[in-house]
Structure formats: structure tokens, C-alpha cells
Amino acid sequence: MKPDEASAKEILLSLVDQNRKNPKYNDHIPNDVIGWRFSSSDQNNPNPSPETNEQHSKPVCEWTGVTCDPIDGTITGLNLGQGFLIEALLGGTPLAKKDDDRLKNVGDNRNLHYQFWEGKPEIDRNLVSKNSPSPIAAKIPSNLGKLISLRAINLSFNQLQGEIPKSVTDLPFLEIFEVTSNDLIGTFPRFISDTLRILDISKNRFHGTLPADLFGHYKYREKEVGKYFAPYLSNLVKLDMSHNGFNGTIPLDGRSETYDPETGFDPTLRNLQYFDIGYNMFSGTICNNFGLMASLEGLFMEHNRLVGTIPKALFRGAGIGANPLPLSQLFLHQNELSGTLPSGLSKLPNLKEVYVDGNKLTGSVPRELCQEHLNESFLFDKSATNRCDGVVCPANSFSKEGMAPCTACPDDGGYNRYIGQRGSECEKPLNEVEILDLFYEQTNGDKWKNPSYSWEKGSPACARRGIKCDDSGKVSVIALPSLGLKGPILSEIGHLSSLKTLDLSNNDLTGFVPSDIRFTSLVNLDLRNNRLEGVVPPMLCIKEGVNNNGDTSLSTDFNLVYACDNFMCARGSWSPIGRAALKGEEVDEIHEVGGAGTLQCLPCYDDAAKMYMGRDSCSDVVLGSMHIRMIDIRNAISKTLVALPILVFIVGFSIVIRKRRKTVPIGVDTGYGSGTILPGRKTSRRDLDLTTSGRSLSLASAGEFEDYSDDDWTAADSERGAQRVKEEMIELAPAIHGDKEVI
């Protein structure tokens, strides 16, 4: 139902409601701004200005920033972005717009444009008050949801606070929603419009994990109940959630709900051109399903905690008859990506920028990538475009941005092994004593539970309790279980080349498992029962010899032989030793699941397993073939406790009623006829801009082993760490999740 003119004005003015009783509000609005004034009666102003009432009486479709349908006059667009709301209407100061250093001289780097605000000029940033007071906090009013014909909303750079009201996310015809550079909070907004094309919530304070079924992908055989499947995916052109606090993995792994295996076609995200999740805290791997985004031109994933290699699907595409993606910009810098930089990126016909510095890539830049045009918009030294350091600096060198101009370091025997390292000086190699001193400091060694493990700085490595050395005097064992270690696992441990045993179990370590430890000589690794997040780095998962990983004499199933679960159980699973074990290993307990004598990580839904890897206990309950989550048990008990008093009241009340019915006197009319005695019976369209301000680089870590196919890496792409869910597990240990079975 279309709101009348007066109602529409009242809804729009709710955006500036905090100034309703301010008699000076109308005075600071620039004269060129049409409408947006309260009437004198709204403000209780005894001396109304004729101009105020005149502006208030202007048709709402003429108000600055408002777009209406030319036929029926309904409001379809609200363009108050670029700080117009906070500056011109509220008299505050907008958030400063700052480009990232890497793109200062690039100009309009992300060149994706659409026309939306047809017939409406862009808001003039000069329409501001000359005497702006201190910044004013504003919110998105829930009243805005009453304008159900809205198709486009732009409220960027306005210092908006609070959450996005549900009434706004429920707008049925929304095509554009841009709120970049505000101070909004909450989790990922769940829009219901199936016509949404532009969703830009960047540079706010959104947090939490993305809905598991957001992109229509699911890991197991059946879609889980209660998940949010965005209805607008097939129409989406731009998705920007950068510069927020999102964490967890990117829910694009597993099968797509709409993928057709016969044709290799998936309409989901086929029109997506711009995907930006940079500057968050996402973990996990870059999924092969990015190769299904056939229209993707800009992929920005920099400054996260992504691990693993750059998937070949980015330059091969995915599905039957796939072609290389039309990527022109690939920002992957400042992650934890490992492996080598794949030469296949040179096959991307439109690639102009690829940034992969600040990761843990080894090797060198493939000559095929040393092209004249690549990264030329960023490089100050244009001659570097014909050199490989125009892509990334070589190992044992550094630069401020991890690419040309690069400064070579003295030969350090391979200590600085990664390409594209950022810094202002060469990293000094550490010896084993210095590495242990740093480890002690970063894990709060002075607060370890057992004082006898106290390490004196600079003392011989082999003389420290919990440390053992081999015959050559090199550190071979670090065993520090149950000592209350706190903090991250030191990546420099990867330089202890003779290390064979690393036991840091049952502590309070946080962060992620560093892929650097693959450079040691590890045989035994035990990291169970800490607070480690993310996934086991895929490059570590293929390291042979660690916990019998890769030992084909113990199993012929390569999904078990080479598996991340052999290092730690993934989040959402557990085993009595915090990891999987192959047949023949000496372990205390054995689960006869997935093969006789093997110990596998089984599903677990308690809070600890949901958040952290390597759990060796689970509070869920298994009754026969039923796997019942403890959270469901708690919820059932809570509902029972809530219902119990009501039940007692109903029973008690019925007893009282029954007693009263038995005392009905003879001759009382019960309603069934005069004088009847029945004891026991009760009586009674337009301008869409996909361009955002410039931002930093990102890194792409490449696949070290070109001989491996994408299918070989499927296990590494899964949040569970490996393809461990076999038919036997499904039959023996189904889980009850909501009102259906999942595993």
C-alpha cells in the first residue's frame, strides 16, 4: 500500500528525528536543499519561517535525494550518501574518506560502473552548513521499511550507528543497498529481496560468521534446516563487506544447491562482478567454487587469515567447458597463503593487477607473469613491469610494499624463505636459543603453571626442561603439555629444522596453526585442547611422516592417508586424541568407523568443538544410532522447565473446576435447557555505481605441487579439513540437527 504524501514525508523526516524539537534545525540546511524541513507545528516554533513551511509543502518527489516512479509516484530511491545526511541535514561532520596507500595515484581503480539514479544529479558535497556543530549520531529508522516500493538506498559516509532494522532488510523490491563508511553493527544482514544487485556494507563494525548457507553451498548430502540462503544471488553484481569484523570460513565450499552436473552450469553468482571481503578476519582456504563465478572481474580478499594455495579454478574456471575468469584485479596480499605462485595466472586474459605480497609463498615468480602491463598502475618504477619484482620481491629481500623497488638481503642460508616480504630492513636470522626465548616470551612463560619449567633467557637450549636435543645438539623435542601456555604458536618454530616432536597439548594457545612447521622434521604433533581456530594449513596436510600421515602401509584409502584430520580434528568434530589415527597406530581408544581399526574425527556440536580444532571430548549424547546435540538437550530442558509451571497451573485449575462442577446446586440453569442438571458440564531503475575508494593489496599463495589436480585438494578446501564423511559414518553415527538428520 502506497503511503499518502503526508505519511511519506513523516517517514523520511524520521531520518532526522533527533532534530524535530530543535527550532534552529531548519536554519542550517543549505538553501539549495529542497524539502527536508519540519513544519512549524512539528517543532513547536512560535515564530515559524515562511520558507520552512514552503519547503515542507514541496512534493516529496522533489525533495533532494528522493527518486519516485514517474507513473505512480511511489518513492523508489533514497540517495543521501556521501555524507549528505549527516552534513547537510543534521549539521554534523562526515567520516573522512581515505584511499589506501597502494591506490593513491591510481585514480578510479575499480572501474565497474552502472547508471541508476537516472534523472537525479549526484549529491553536491558543497551543500553543507558553514557552522557545523559536533558530530551527531544518527540511526536508520525502522519507519523506512514502510516505503515498500524502495528499490535503492544510499546512506554512505553518514556516521550511522546501531543495526539495520529488519523492516529495511525485508523490503521486497530492493536492488541497491549502500551503507559504506558508517558505524553500523550487527551480523550479516539477511535481505529478502530477490532483485538485489548491489550490496555494500563495507567499512562498518559488522561481525560474526557468515550464514552457513548464504551462497547456497552445503558440505554434506542434505541442506541443513534453518540456514539463510540469500534469494538474490543470481542477480547480484557487487558484494562488498570489506573492512568489518567478520570471521570464520567463506561458506562457498561443498556442493551448490543450483549446480547442474550434466551441463556444468550454476546460475548462482554467475552475474557477480565484484566480490570484496578484504580487511576482515576470515580463515580457511580459497575454495574452488570461486571458479563458478563466470562474470567475476574483481576479487579482493586481502588482509585476512586465509591459508592454503591459490586454487587453479581461479584461472581455469570450474564446471564442464569452463573458461578462464574475466578477472582484472586479484588482491590476495597479507594473508597466510602458502605454496608457490602459479604460472596459470598468466592465462587470465584481462588481468591487470595481482598482489600476493605478505604471505608465505616460496619459490620464485613464474616468468609468464613478468608482463609489462601487470601492476603498472601501482608501480612507481615503471621499468619494474618488465621484471618479476614488479609482481613480488624475491626471497631474501624486502620492500615497504613487498614489491618493487626491492632491497636484497645478505645471504642468510635460506632463513628468509618467503617471497614478497614487507618491511623496512632485512629480517635477522634467529638461532635456536633465540627462537626458544621468543617462544617463552610470547606464551607467557613467566606464568606457566609449573615453576620448574622456567627458562632463563639465553640459557642453552638443551638444558631447558621440556626440551630435548639430538646427538648433534639440535632441538628435536618440545614437550610442554598442560602448563597453561597462552598466546599464538610461534611461526619461527619452523626454523627448528631437526624438530621431530611438538607436544603443546592441553594449554590455552590461541590463533592459528602456522604452516611454517612443515619445514621441520616433525614425526609427532599434538596440539589438542587449545583454542586454535581456522583449519590445518593444506600444505601441512600433505607433509608425510607426521602422525603417520601419508603412510600407505597403514591404509589404502588416500582420503585417510593424506588428511588434515591426522594433524587435528577440524572444528565441529572430535576424537579421544584430538585427531584421527590410522590402523596400526598405538592409541588408547579406537573408533571402529570408516574402516576397521581406524580412529576418526566424529561430528560434535558442543560450543568448544564448534569454535576450536583438536577437541578430545564432546558433550553431545549418542543413544544407539542417534547423535543428540547437548545444546538440543539443554533447549529441551529449558522448554520443559518453562512449560512445567504452566502445566501445573492447568492441572490445578482443572481440579478446582471439577470440584466446582460437582457442587452445582439442583435447579441451576446450566445452559442446556431450563432446569436441566448436568453435573460435570461447564456452563457458560537507475544510477548504480560499483566503484569504491581505493584500497590495499592482497596476496595469492600458489599451489606448490602442479601435479596435483583440483580434486586432490578438495579435502583441504573443506572446513572439516578432509573428506572424512563416508557412507559407513552416515549409517553408524547419524546426528539429529533440528528436525532432520545431518552429519
Side-chain angles (χ1 to χ4, degrees):
M1 180 179 177
K2 172 188 174 183
D4 57 40
E5 183 81 1
S7 298
K9 291 180 179 179
E10 186 66 23
I11 292 170
L12 291 178
L13 287 173
S14 65
L15 283 160
V16 292
D17 195 61
Q18 60 264 56
N19 280 330
R20 183 179 295 273
K21 301 302 180 182
N22 179 6
K24 296 183 179 181
Y25 162 73
N26 292 325
D27 297 337
H28 79 252
I29 300 180
N31 294 331
D32 291 340
V33 175
I34 301 174
W36 294 104
R37 275 79 165 178
F38 292 106
S39 67
S40 56
S41 59
D42 282 337
Q43 293 186 295
N44 296 324
N45 190 345
N47 300 307
S49 166
E51 292 80 8
T52 294
N53 287 331
E54 180 184 353
Q55 287 286 357
H56 181 79
S57 63
K58 294 277 187 181
V60 71
C61 293
E62 295 181 11
W63 285 21
T64 302
V66 177
T67 303
C68 294
D69 187 285
I71 297 177
D72 60 17
T74 56
I75 298 176
T76 58
L78 191 59
N79 185 7
L80 306 181
Q82 304 302 309
F84 176 76
L85 172 64
I86 192 68
E87 276 188 279
L89 300 187
L90 293 177
T93 305
L95 296 173
K97 294 195 297 182
K98 295 174 65 177
D99 289 347
D100 295 321
D101 291 341
R102 191 156 288 216
L103 303 175
K104 279 182 178 178
N105 63 337
V106 177
D108 195 8
N109 192 48
R110 300 180 180 188
N111 192 22
L112 297 174
H113 296 281
Y114 283 79
Q115 293 297 315
F116 178 79
W117 306 104
E118 203 169 277
K120 297 296 266 188
E122 189 68 25
I123 292 295
D124 186 353
R125 288 298 303 272
N126 293 319
L127 298 181
V128 297
S129 171
K130 300 301 182 184
N131 299 306
S132 296
S134 58
I136 299 172
K139 294 185 177 182
I140 301 177
S142 59
N143 271 352
L144 209 58
K146 295 179 181 179
L147 301 176
I148 61 172
S149 57
L150 271 174
R151 294 172 51 201
I153 298 175
N154 183 355
L155 296 172
S156 59
F157 293 94
N158 279 309
Q159 292 189 11
L160 296 172
Q161 298 182 356
E163 298 185 352
I164 301 174
K166 186 176 183 299
S167 60
V168 174
T169 60
D170 284 350
L171 286 169
F173 307 113
L174 205 59
E175 296 179 21
I176 304 166
F177 188 78
E178 296 187 85
V179 290
T180 182
S181 301
N182 284 290
D183 198 25
L184 297 170
I185 62 173
T187 55
F188 188 84
R190 302 189 173 202
F191 290 91
I192 69 167
S193 170
D194 59 4
T195 58
L196 196 63
R197 292 189 289 146
I198 304 296
L199 179 55
D200 187 349
I201 59 173
S202 61
K203 298 181 181 177
N204 282 282
R205 289 196 294 132
F206 293 104
H207 64 276
T209 60
L210 299 182
D213 212 26
L214 173 64
F215 299 117
H217 289 260
Y218 52 101
K219 286 185 241 180
Y220 307 128
R221 293 195 304 176
E222 296 187 31
K223 180 182 174 185
E224 293 187 33
V225 173
K227 299 297 183 182
Y228 172 67
F229 180 15
Y232 47 80
L233 297 177
S234 60
N235 292 311
L236 199 62
V237 174
K238 174 183 178 180
L239 177 59
D240 190 346
M241 62 181 86
S242 63
H243 294 265
N244 279 290
F246 291 115
N247 56 38
T249 57
I250 307 166
L252 268 168
D253 55 334
R255 266 189 298 174
S256 168
E257 186 171 288
T258 55
Y259 178 72
D260 185 346
E262 294 185 3
T263 62
F265 180 76
D266 185 1
T268 303
L269 299 174
R270 293 288 290 188
N271 293 313
L272 189 66
Q273 299 178 26
Y274 182 112
F275 185 86
D276 194 340
I277 61 169
Y279 291 87
N280 280 285
M281 295 180 288
F282 286 110
S283 57
T285 60
I286 301 176
C287 309
N288 284 327
N289 285 326
F290 277 102
L292 295 172
M293 300 179 187
S295 302
L296 193 62
E297 297 179 23
L299 179 58
F300 310 97
M301 309 177 78
E302 73 272 28
H303 285 267
N304 280 286
R305 300 168 177 174
L306 301 174
V307 299
T309 62
I310 298 177
K312 296 175 183 177
L314 288 185
F315 50 84
R316 289 181 180 174
I320 300 174
N323 295 310
L325 300 183
L327 278 174
S328 63
Q329 293 174 287
L330 181 60
F331 285 29
L332 300 175
H333 58 283
Q334 294 296 98
N335 279 286
E336 298 289 326
L337 298 170
S338 54
T340 59
L341 189 59
S343 60
L345 291 174
S346 63
K347 299 177 182 177
L348 293 170
N350 302 325
L351 190 63
K352 296 179 180 179
E353 294 176 273
V354 55
Y355 300 120
V356 296
D357 50 283
N359 281 275
K360 295 185 175 181
L361 298 174
T362 55
S364 59
V365 178
R367 193 65 203 173
E368 296 90 334
L369 279 176
C370 306
Q371 306 169 13
E372 273 190 36
H373 70 276
L374 204 58
N375 298 340
E376 64 181 346
S377 60
F378 172 71
L379 292 169
F380 293 99
D381 179 7
K382 301 304 179 184
S383 64
T385 60
N386 201 29
R387 303 194 307 266
C388 293
D389 58 358
V391 178
V392 69
C393 288
N396 201 32
S397 68
F398 72 92
S399 79
K400 179 181 177 181
E401 296 288 353
M403 53 192 299
C406 308
T407 301
C409 296
D411 185 15
D412 59 6
Y415 186 87
N416 291 297
R417 57 171 67 98
Y418 300 126
I419 61 176
Q421 291 307 290
R422 294 180 167 203
S424 57
E425 60 183 7
C426 296
E427 184 179 352
K428 177 186 175 183
L430 301 179
N431 58 41
E432 293 193 336
V433 170
E434 292 171 327
I435 291 173
L436 292 179
D437 285 343
L438 185 59
F439 175 86
Y440 186 76
E441 177 184 341
Q442 291 202 0
T443 57
N444 293 281
D446 56 340
K447 297 181 180 179
W448 288 357
K449 292 180 179 179
N450 191 338
S452 66
Y453 278 82
S454 179
W455 293 352
E456 183 178 348
K457 186 174 183 179
S459 61
C462 304
R464 307 185 189 203
R465 188 168 184 187
I467 304 297
K468 293 182 180 180
C469 297
D470 58 19
D471 294 340
S472 63
K474 296 288 186 180
V475 173
S476 61
V477 175
I478 299 178
L480 302 168
S482 307
L483 288 175
L485 279 65
K486 295 180 181 292
I489 299 176
L490 193 68
S491 61
E492 282 80 0
I493 287 179
H495 292 292
L496 301 177
S497 57
S498 298
L499 185 66
K500 293 185 177 180
T501 296
L502 179 61
D503 184 357
L504 303 176
S505 60
N506 299 299
N507 283 294
D508 197 25
L509 296 170
T510 54
F512 304 87
V513 177
S515 64
D516 310 71
I517 62 177
R518 73 183 189 272
F519 296 113
T520 66
S521 302
L522 272 180
V523 176
N524 302 300
L525 176 66
D526 193 348
L527 300 176
R528 77 177 97 168
N529 282 350
N530 282 283
R531 291 192 293 145
L532 298 173
E533 303 174 61
V535 299
V536 178
M539 292 302 295
L540 180 60
C541 298
I542 61 172
K543 182 176 175 63
E544 295 182 348
V546 185
N547 298 341
N548 290 313
N549 191 59
D551 190 343
T552 55
S553 67
L554 298 179
S555 177
T556 57
D557 187 343
F558 275 80
N559 283 328
L560 301 179
V561 172
Y562 289 95
C564 296
D565 282 0
N566 291 336
F567 296 80
M568 296 182 75
C569 286
R571 291 185 301 176
S573 63
W574 78 287
S575 88
I577 60 172
R579 65 174 177 85
L582 298 173
K583 181 179 179 181
E585 282 197 64
E586 295 183 3
V587 295
D588 295 334
E589 298 185 47
I590 290 294
H591 281 179
E592 299 289 342
V593 178
T598 64
L599 177 66
Q600 292 201 27
C601 299
L602 300 179
C604 181
Y605 300 97
D606 67 21
D607 292 340
K610 182 179 179 181
M611 296 178 63
Y612 307 121
M613 299 188 294
R615 309 313 298 176
D616 67 359
S617 63
C618 180
S619 62
D620 293 350
V621 176
V622 178
L623 298 175
S625 62
M626 296 177 60
H627 187 149
I628 306 175
R629 303 184 304 168
M630 181 56 66
I631 188 173
D632 292 334
I633 296 175
R634 288 198 298 265
N635 289 340
I637 293 174
S638 298
K639 292 177 180 178
T640 302
L641 292 176
V642 171
L644 189 58
I646 300 175
L647 182 61
V648 171
F649 173 78
I650 293 173
V651 172
F653 185 74
S654 64
I655 292 174
V656 172
I657 293 298
R658 286 182 60 84
K659 289 181 179 179
R660 289 179 177 176
R661 289 172 181 166
K662 291 179 181 178
T663 59
V664 174
I666 296 176
V668 173
D669 187 356
T670 61
Y672 289 89
S674 178
T676 304
I677 302 172
L678 293 174
R681 299 293 294 271
K682 186 176 182 180
T683 64
S684 11
R685 255 285 153 118
R686 315 201 195 239
D687 167 28
L688 246 183
D689 186 7
L690 292 188
T691 304
T692 64
S693 57
R695 20 163 332 164
S696 301
L697 290 170
S698 93
L699 165 143
S701 73
E704 224 168 43
F705 301 87
E706 291 292 332
D707 292 334
Y708 285 84
S709 69
D710 285 342
D711 292 337
D712 296 325
W713 295 97
T714 303
D717 285 338
S718 170
E719 182 186 79
R720 296 218 34 219
Q723 293 178 332
R724 308 299 295 267
V725 187
K726 299 297 180 183
E727 292 297 327
E728 296 91 332
M729 181 182 292
I730 295 171
E731 295 173 1
L732 294 176
I736 303 301
H737 183 41
D739 58 356
K740 62 176 293 183
E741 288 190 353
V742 298
I743 60 171

